[in-house]
Amino acid sequence: MRNISALVFASGLAFLLLVITWQFILGGAPMLIGEAILQQAAEELGAANLVTSVVLGYRGIDTLGEIAILFTASTATSLVLSSIAEKTSAKSKPGLRDDGTILASSASLFFPLLMTIGLYIILHGHLTPGGGFQGGVILAAAFFLPLLAVPGRGVNHSGLALVEGFAGASFIVIGIIALFQGKAFLQPLFGHGEMGSLLSAGSLPLLYIAVGLKVGAELSGLLANLAEPSGNGDETLSATESASTEQTSMQAEKTKS
Amino acid sequence: MNNIAFNVALPLLTAFLLPIISSGSKSATRFVGPFVLLAMLWFALAYFNVLQHPVAIALGGFLPPLGISFHLDNLSLLMAALIPLMMLLLWPYNNREGFREESLLLLLAGAASGLALSGDLFNIYVFYELLSVASFGLAAANRTAAAFAATFRYVIISGLGTVLALTGIALIYTQTGTLNLAHIGLLASQLNNPVGLSAFALIVIGIGVKAEIFPVNGWVPEVYSTASPRISALLAGLISKLAVLVIIRLLVVAYQGSQALTLLLVLGMLGIIWGELSAWHSKDLKRMFSFSSIGQLGMVLVAFSIPGDAGMAAGIAMMLHHLVVKPGMFLLTENWNGPIKKLKGAATSSPLAAFLFMLFALSMIGVPPLPGFWAKLLLVTGLVEANAPLYIIALVVLLTATVIEAHYLMSTALKIFSRGKKKHFKKLLQTPFNLTIATIFGAVLLAALFTLTPLGNKLNQIATESSDRSLYIKTTLSLKLPPQVKQQVSKVQ
Amino acid sequence: MTTNLIHWLLYGGAMGLIVIGIVGVVTLTNIFRIILALVIAEAGANLLLVIAGYRFDAIAPILTGQALSAMPTTQIMVDPVPQAMVLTSIVIGVGVQALALALVLKVYKNYQTLDLREIHHRMLADIDHSSGVISLLSEEQPKGERPLPEPETKNVLNSGGEK
Amino acid sequence: MNEILLTIIEVIMMPIVAFIVGLFMVLMMRKLAARLQRRIGPPLFQPLYDIIKLYGKQTQISHGLIHDIGIIMAVGGYVAAEALLPVPGMDGIAAKGGLVTLAYLTMVPSLGLALGVGQCANPNGSIGISRALTSMLAYDIPFIIVVFGVAYHFSSTNLVSIIATQQAGGISTWGISEMPVLALAGLFALHASLGKQPFEIYIAPAEIATGPMVEMGGKFLGGLFVMQSFQLYTASVLYVSLFLGGGENWITFLLKCFAVLAIPIIIAYLFPRYRTDDLVRLVWKWPVMLALIGVAFVMN
Amino acid sequence: MTTLDTLLLFSLLTVLVSGLGVRLKMIGWVSAIMFAAQFVALLFMGGLGYGGSAIESSVSLTILNQPLSWRFDSLSWFFALITIGSALASSIFAAGIWAKKFHKHDGKPGLLQFAIALNVFTMLLLLASGDLLSLFVGWELVSWASLLLMVMAGGSSSQWGLRYIVYATAGAMAVLAGIGLIYHLTGSFSYADLANTAATFSSTNIVILSLLFIAGFGVKMGLLPFHLWQAGAYAEAPGPGSAFLGAISSRMGLYAMLVVVIQLIGLARLIAIEIPFSFLSLRDMLMWVAAFTIIFPTFTALRQNDARHLLAWHGIGQGGYMMMGILVLNPLGSAGGLLHVFNYASNQAALFLAISAVVYRTHTADLNRLGGLVTRMPLTFVVLLVGIIGLAGIPPMNGFVSKWLIYRSLIVEGMPLLFVATVIGTLGTILSVYKLIHNTFLGQLRLEHEHIREVPWSMLAPMLVLASVVFMTGFMPGLVLDWVVSAQAALGIPQLAHTLGGVESATGNLDMIWITLVLFGGFGVGALLFYSGNKAKRVHQLDNYAGGHFLTADDRYHYSNNFYAGLMHHIGSWYRGTFKWLESSIISIVSLLSGSTQRLFHSFHPALFLLIAATLSLYFFVG
């Protein structure tokens, strides 16, 4: 019954949405601000990659919000996954099972490679396609690959926390410095430099580095959290354990009420 | 004026650094948060006092509509001031375990401030998402199985909501080619067609998930009855209002046609009916209050659906009233969360709490001269003035709902005040912490009662200002427009 | 003609993704699949955003080669703003999905099931129990006792529902 | 000044007249009863003798102050009521009270009786009272409708003026000839109010041992006898002044009164007794219907 | 600082003092004194009672651009007199030894005093209201204040209180809607604007307005069908409290109705409106409502077995008389209605106090558990006797005068059926009050009541004073009629020509002085006859005719239960409890709806609703 009604309404929704979109002309949408940005972005920001200038310049606060969301997500995830006691510190279990030498060694082989690519993409974010997010994801992959290859290997959470904290902070601090210079929040600092060169587009590269590190740290933290639920490996064991913690928590709140 | 950006930047910064601080010293973790909130409060109030007329600031120095702009008027600054205030009141001072809840709260504060201030549609969306994710984390913070399940359902429904909202934004962008609210307002003529209106509908329903709009509020009773009362108070009191605020901004700036208002009115009426009826049937305080808050937000929506200043004034009044009353009530549910029939003798075990409950209940029913009555009076006069059949129906619904409200609230109150057995008293004792906070809310209510006249004047001023569309547009676009946009704008018109 | 086809393909595709995602969320009962459906819906929304900036035979908004020197460029570029927005919304989606996954893990550990129905019932039962109310879903259940079947695995625990 | 004096004299005279006439009415009642039952009946002064005997009896049993006060109220109420009933040559305070007042003043004696009986703490008495009050509820409704009709017809509640209007116009303007239906209903109500057969359920000697009178002996019963004579007088005079144009002079007046009274008494001794609820049903059916029809006639 | 301010200030002080000193022993007397002070302050405004012009209060507010003002005119003064008078009596009654016992049975005498003070203050605010907004504020305050008085006894009273407050809120909402409509029509809340523009309202508006207001205010008056809450709520309050409530509380509804419907809108408009498919005008319909309000509750009272409930039910019925009299709208009728407010208040206060005196001694108000108390509590008996004679409207007490006015007005207007209805009500009242006095004071004295004594003077004094008021105002109705006439003047309706003894008119006078004197003369004659007879000897109760066998004190032969067996055998089947059925059906409908709505929140997939909502709203805009 529910499915039928769902399908009926969904088809109705689809029809209506199509009716709406049919009134659009493909590629004919008015792009008022788009045009304007294309016109003046280059001399305003001096970044070859106009998307970057939008991401970090015109809509910089969006980017701030978005890394904040990543941070929030990882915090919430660790809040959800951690049991009552703080036990997210790194630990490596004895007798973890080894999934074969090839996998392990190739993983450790890939690590530097991925790191370099990621950093490159981050650093050239304002010149070429790509940027902080893309690079950050690759960095995360670099960190996560060994974890997949050798499950149960601990991740240095406190280190990650340090990185993500400082990266995010630096992004904001750069914005605030602008404030203290009497400019607006997140206004680009320094001169434009010579367009197309590595050291150009003012403080955008710095921002992108911050973003990249942040994203990398966040993602790897997230993945690690998911991979090692409530900070310790074995499933059923953890089930009983976390369950018992649920137990206690429930009891606690019962007694409270 | 640019410094208002601190209200967004500071809490985020602190939240980012909180893990590091906490690894340093636990005590600092507990106290840095309140300091930041105080700072935010100070900024907001400072601007609230000096502000003569609405002001827009361009973030990153990029002029709107290209860049993102914050819109500072009495309403947004009022909200920006209320956010840290509520946070301070509902801050987990007695939280011993870790920093995560604190940092989530700070993120929530930052996001909320951004939401209140921002004048850019997509930016609003981003902050709204930040708000949602933070509230997910807080809703699950109780770490009970039920809390996890409820939060999951919450995540799913509001995820769908954001999808709809994003679709709406995309439609608007495709239609107008801009994201800045003021600019959209300038081009409102292009949105006064099925496409634009359906974009509005999608956004309303999407954002409505947080605003507890019927029928996308299925999460409300579950989350509020599994999360800790402080969080419920925060979500019901503050967050829902911010979501409403977004809808109102959009309504005022771009959608002044009657159709959009009708949508809001109908949704609001359904919300009232469903909320109050369900509350009447519910057997424990937490769910009763969550349902009744659904009903109250329905009333807020109905109020805002009245065209002109009258509606705006009524809506803001209802909003602020609910903002004060509902958290106070939720705080009382912590130790009174049993079934209602077990509440006998609660008054004798903690009389102050019982008094507060009575106070809040009376104000919610709208008993003169409590503030709730004046809000309701504004609503009633507004509805009658609007003088359309649908509005008259809304009036009838409102009044009937009030009767139902009175019934379930009073039956609870009489249970609380009736004599009970000695042995239950210890169970019904309120924690001094919650009691203090609730008392503060009650005191605010009474203070409002004694300063009604000035409050009313201020309210009217805010209402007239924030219901003025052209003012909003002028404020933002009066910043020097880049030439291309100028001529495009002129071309568009 | 071709434009029409592309138009249908793109817009229809975007809307179709959204609707498919929504239908998935509504009809599916396995919570993990529900998350996937949500992802699909978000993908649709993002696609719609990107299309908004589409221009026929335009290049990516990146200045390369002589364009660097010759400003303003002569070539048509696609709208950079939607791209930035999509970038943002994708990352946002990632965050939300990660959180949802974490919740799925926890829910599974507590209830030992991925069936939303089951989960919902037991959640309601837990809420009723914690607030001392007999379940509103089944009025005629015996007092205090949980009406639900015992979870299979013995080392699993239904969250303090029964004492 | 001296018309106040005059009024006072009249107020004193009227009850005395009433008492005497009432005694003869009692006598007539008993004579009629005797004739209908093939008996000779009592001599002329028998009612008076009875009363004197009762007052002079040796054993007088009182159940306390309220018992006495009840009898006093019962008698006194009627004494006062008589002052409101104009008789030829004497108006008393009829002008100051009027019809409605009279109607309610006649409830004082029954209330007094009820109090006195209640004080006696005899269930039979209480039952009798409850029945008496019930039958009052029954017959007062048609009675009050009749009162309304008359008052509306003469557009006055002042008995003096009502009588004056009737006498001025002669027989054709009498109430009975102008509103016969009402007159009939009035007669019915009058009969019921007298508490004679078939409406004497509240006395029911065989069943509840004469109900209200069960504890009454000696001067208490004597008081009731006095009250009865007043009651007969009041009822008949009221009817006469409402429908038969009051009394031009004493002869016609007394003739009318006795004639009016004779009718219900004759009927009374031909009927068995109704049960309380039957009584209520009967009285609420016919007289009320008649009275309403009469009012309809009057008001059109 | 006008005299009105002084009065309100005193009243507020009373509230504060009794509120602060709730726990003190002496608080009862203190607040009684303060009520007396209020009474004096009211007497300083006595000019109003004799046609003085209205007194403005110097306090006035402006909230949300809406001015609120307060003033006192003759009508308000008349009602305020009754209010404070009954409050004074109840407070004195509750101040003395009664309080000790009440305290022993864990009641809170201080709280009672506080509640009464609060009620008085709010009522004064309502009476003093100078515009629709302050009227509504006062109205709500009165409703909620009386809730406090109703539920403070605890136990079953809280259920009645809940019922009351639901009815009251519904009524208040109706009033609010009406006020909103007026605001829409006139653009302000002021009386003057309404009075000026009322003539221009369309008759639909008039119908809607009058229905809203009369329903709203009627809830408090206990008009049918909104009467179910009243009896229990008043009866279950602590003794003096129910005396106060019964005397005045529900008259506030009458006052508000007078002000809005009679004074501002004007009854002429109501008379002008014909109800389709009937010969009735709107006014006639309301009069029939009043008539049924007289009959049904009175005959419900006839079946009560609890003295307090019996009286409370009569309260509802008597309210019908007032409504009836005022709706007749000739000088006689309106005077009768207003006068009945005063008379009824004095009767009801006396009766409730007497009954609570009985309860104070015997711990029960159950009419089947009492009897024969007259020998033990003679003075209370006298008070009760005077009270019931007044309530039943039998000469020479004051109740008769007001009812006489109403009868006369109905005769003059030629309304036979309504007249009959009022008379039926009176007869029913006589029956049930006789049952009351018979079952409590007459008949057999129960064994457990052998040793009880008369209540102390602190309780007797107010009762006796009230009883003497009942008699005196019956003896010289002119005293009160002066105030009534000036109230009529304030209402702007034709006024009654009256004398000290009653009414002077060509078509039928009433001179209570003569009648009373003659009646007592008659009693004198009766007494003369009686005591001229042979000396009677006092015998014990048990020494009476019992079919030949000897009665002992432990067998109960008091005929109390189902007192009017014969009548009930006939009309018993007419008690259908229709209104109860109506109420419960409404409640069950609500609970059905709410159950289903809540089920919607329990459906396990909220996303479906999101989908539906999105589709429908899109359809609303696109399709």
Side-chain angles (χ1 to χ4, degrees), chain B residues 240-254:
Chain B
S240 53
K241 306 297 173 305
L242 286 162
V244 173
L245 183 66
V246 172
I247 296 173
I248 298 319
R249 287 286 190 212
L250 203 55
L251 193 69
V252 169
V253 171

Side-chain angles (χ1 to χ4, degrees), chain D residues 57 60 104 121-122 215 277, chain E residues 407 434 534 537 545 557 569:
Chain D
K57 272 183 76 164
Q60 306 272 8
Y104 279 91
N122 188 320
E215 288 299 319
D277 50 334
Chain E
Y407 301 142
Y434 178 71
N534 210 337
K537 88 168 192 298
Y545 173 80
Y557 54 91
H569 187 275

Side-chain angles (χ1 to χ4, degrees), chain B residues 71-355:
Chain B
H71 183 82
L72 282 67
D73 61 3
N74 278 311
L75 185 55
S76 56
L77 279 177
L78 179 65
M79 278 320 215
L82 283 172
I83 290 158
L85 205 57
M86 296 285 289
M87 291 280 179
L88 277 172
L89 285 178
L90 301 171
W91 188 260
Y93 296 98
N94 47 7
N95 176 14
R96 287 282 173 284
E97 43 172 272
F99 56 90
R100 297 210 172 80
E101 199 173 342
E102 280 85 344
S103 58
L104 282 178
L105 279 169
L106 282 173
L107 289 161
L108 196 67
S113 315
L115 203 55
L117 294 169
S118 174
D120 180 288
L121 200 50
F122 190 77
N123 186 241
I124 285 177
Y125 162 78
V126 171
F127 279 125
Y128 175 77
E129 273 297 298
L130 180 52
L131 195 79
S132 323
V133 178
S135 57
F136 298 153
L138 290 169
N142 244 6
R143 289 221 202 74
T144 64
F148 289 136
T151 314
F152 176 76
R153 292 159 59 76
Y154 182 23
V155 171
I156 293 303
I157 184 79
S158 84
L160 272 188
T162 48
V163 169
L164 288 188
L166 197 55
T167 318
I169 293 172
L171 289 182
I172 289 183
Y173 186 78
T174 330
Q175 196 70 359
T176 61
T178 180
L179 289 167
N180 185 296
L181 273 178
H183 200 184
I184 291 173
L186 201 59
L187 311 176
S189 56
Q190 304 176 14
L191 291 176
N192 211 339
N193 53 16
V195 179
L197 283 171
S198 41
F200 175 72
L202 288 172
I203 292 177
V204 165
I205 293 188
I207 304 263
V209 174
K210 279 267 169 314
E212 301 178 11
I213 286 178
F214 177 85
V216 290
N217 47 20
W219 57 275
V220 170
E222 301 164 4
V223 169
Y224 287 179
S225 49
T226 51
S228 79
R230 272 186 300 100
I231 303 305
S232 316
L234 207 55
L235 293 182
L238 188 61
I239 304 308
S240 53
K241 306 297 173 305
L242 286 162
V244 173
L245 183 66
V246 172
I247 296 173
I248 298 319
R249 287 286 190 212
L250 203 55
L251 193 69
V252 169
V253 171
Y255 295 97
Q256 299 211 318
S258 67
Q259 269 186 306
L261 294 179
T262 315
L263 177 70
L264 284 193
L265 179 59
V266 171
L267 287 179
M269 266 156 61
L270 290 173
I272 295 176
I273 297 169
W274 244 261
E276 298 296 356
L277 279 177
S278 314
W280 188 85
H281 198 278
S282 54
K283 298 183 174 57
D284 64 317
L285 278 190
K286 279 183 178 173
R287 263 175 288 188
M288 176 187 286
F289 290 161
S290 23
F291 285 128
S292 84
S293 84
I294 287 174
Q296 295 282 323
L297 276 148
M299 292 184 193
V300 171
L301 223 57
V302 168
F304 277 121
S305 73
I306 301 167
D309 303 2
M312 187 57 78
I316 296 174
M318 295 294 273
M319 239 166 72
L320 294 179
H321 174 251
H322 189 234
L323 185 84
V324 173
V325 168
K326 189 60 71 170
M329 289 186 124
F330 266 114
L331 283 174
L332 295 181
T333 62
E334 175 136 31
N335 289 1
W336 285 359
N337 65 347
I340 287 167
K341 59 179 177 296
K342 288 229 179 79
L343 283 180
K344 285 193 169 185
T348 29
S349 77
S350 53
L352 177 57
F355 168 75

Side-chain angles (χ1 to χ4, degrees), chain E residues 76-87:
Chain E
S76 332
W77 185 84
F78 180 61
F79 276 84
L81 186 74
I82 304 168
T83 311
I84 297 178
S86 44

Side-chain angles (χ1 to χ4, degrees), chain D residues 51-234:
Chain D
I51 292 171
I52 292 167
K53 178 201 70 181
L54 285 167
Y55 271 82
K57 272 183 76 164
Q58 272 309 323
T59 54
Q60 306 272 8
I61 291 178
S62 157
H63 284 93
L65 193 58
I66 306 302
H67 192 185
D68 311 351
I69 290 177
I71 300 302
I72 292 172
M73 277 177 79
V75 175
Y78 269 116
V79 171
E82 307 315 340
L84 286 168
L85 273 174
V87 293
M90 290 193 284
D91 287 345
I93 59 167
K96 296 185 168 56
L99 204 43
V100 180
T101 318
L102 180 64
Y104 279 91
L105 203 55
T106 49
M107 290 177 185
V108 175
S110 21
L111 180 63
L113 181 61
L115 288 176
V117 173
Q119 168 67 354
C120 300
N122 188 320
N124 295 325
S126 303
I127 294 169
I129 289 301
S130 94
R131 291 178 177 183
L133 289 174
T134 309
S135 52
M136 182 186 84
L137 173 65
Y139 63 70
D140 255 0
I141 291 172
F143 173 64
I144 214 72
I145 301 174
V146 170
V147 167
F148 176 91
V150 175
Y152 187 79
H153 174 70
F154 297 107
S155 67
S156 163
T157 57
N158 183 346
L159 273 171
V160 181
S161 57
I162 290 177
I163 294 171
T165 352
Q166 296 187 52
Q167 292 178 348
I171 296 192
S172 61
T173 59
W174 282 7
I176 191 158
S177 50
E178 294 221 345
M179 20 186 192
V181 189
L182 268 185
L184 189 57
L187 196 59
F188 213 135
L190 169 87
H191 183 182
S193 70
L194 289 180
K196 291 290 151 205
Q197 292 92 336
F199 305 119
E200 50 137 10
I201 186 67
Y202 65 91
I203 298 173
E207 180 194 358
I208 50 171
T210 71
M213 277 92 87
V214 63
E215 288 299 319
M216 301 293 181
K219 56 183 178 180
F220 298 89
L221 197 54
L224 294 188
F225 271 45
V226 178
M227 176 181 159
Q228 189 194 17
S229 53
F230 276 130
Q231 184 186 18
L232 294 174
Y233 172 83
T234 315

